Amino acid sequence: MRLNRKVFSEHREAVLYVICGGFTTLVTWGSYALFVILTGDVFVSNALSWVCGVSFAFVVNKMIVFSSRSLEAKTVFRELSSFFSARIFTGVIAITTFPILYSFGMDGSLFGIDGFPARMATSCVEIVLNWIFSKYFIFKKKAADTSEDTNKKDEEK
């Protein structure tokens, strides 16, 4: 139990990112499946599911993963615009990669949903890129924040 707490405290952001990322993935994949059922169009469904996933991801990344609690308009706008810009970049990668993977044989069904293997593969690429952008550019801690975190860790020991 003590080891689990130590691992969590040392890698808090990464652990929370994986957990929240799992929920984000469920939102994305679930909305993809729903949109496929409703529209029958895998390409439109892919784009709409991306919008759902990004909206959910901003909230959980800001509040839970990176503990950016500021609700100051300037800060929220900066984070929101940076977050969506980065996600648009990775979204373009996913949206353009999906049809390529789909046409090269990842067009099968999984869980009865057409194109799901291609959607899953594009999600893996997105996850890695999104972590890098969020951690190092969007929600990066200022020097004062980092020293406070270090002081808290020293007090816990």
Side-chain angles (χ1 to χ4, degrees), residues 103-115:
S103 67
F104 280 112
M106 294 186 86
D107 58 346
S109 292
L110 188 60
F111 308 117
I113 303 297
D114 185 33

Side-chain angles (χ1 to χ4, degrees), residues 13 17 54 57-70 75-76 78-84 86-87 130-142 145-146 149:
E13 284 180 351
Y17 187 81
V54 171
F58 175 74
V59 174
V60 297
N61 275 283
K62 176 175 177 45
M63 303 304 289
I64 298 171
V65 176
F66 298 105
S67 300
S68 178
R69 303 275 190 232
S70 175
T75 301
V76 172
R78 182 191 57 76
E79 290 171 342
L80 186 65
S81 60
S82 298
F83 191 85
F84 271 84
R87 295 299 169 108
N130 289 334
W131 165 258
I132 292 167
F133 288 130
S134 293
K135 170 110 177 120
Y136 298 106
F137 300 104
I138 300 165
F139 299 110
K140 68 180 178 181
K141 301 213 186 292
K142 295 176 183 156
D145 294 340
T146 306
D149 289 344

Side-chain angles (χ1 to χ4, degrees), residues 118-138:
R119 185 67 191 106
M120 292 172 71
T122 59
S123 292
C124 292
V125 173
E126 285 179 283
I127 289 166
V128 171
L129 291 174
N130 289 334
W131 165 258
I132 292 167
F133 288 130
S134 293
K135 170 110 177 120
Y136 298 106
F137 300 104
I138 300 165

Side-chain angles (χ1 to χ4, degrees), residues 11 14 16-17 26 28 39-40 42 51 55 59 67 73 86 88 91-92 102 121 124 130 138 140 153:
H11 305 286
L16 289 174
Y17 187 81
L26 290 175
T28 303
T39 69
V42 296
V51 172
S55 300
V59 174
S67 300
I88 288 169
V92 167
Y102 189 87
C124 292
N130 289 334
I138 300 165
K140 68 180 178 181
K153 286 181 183 177

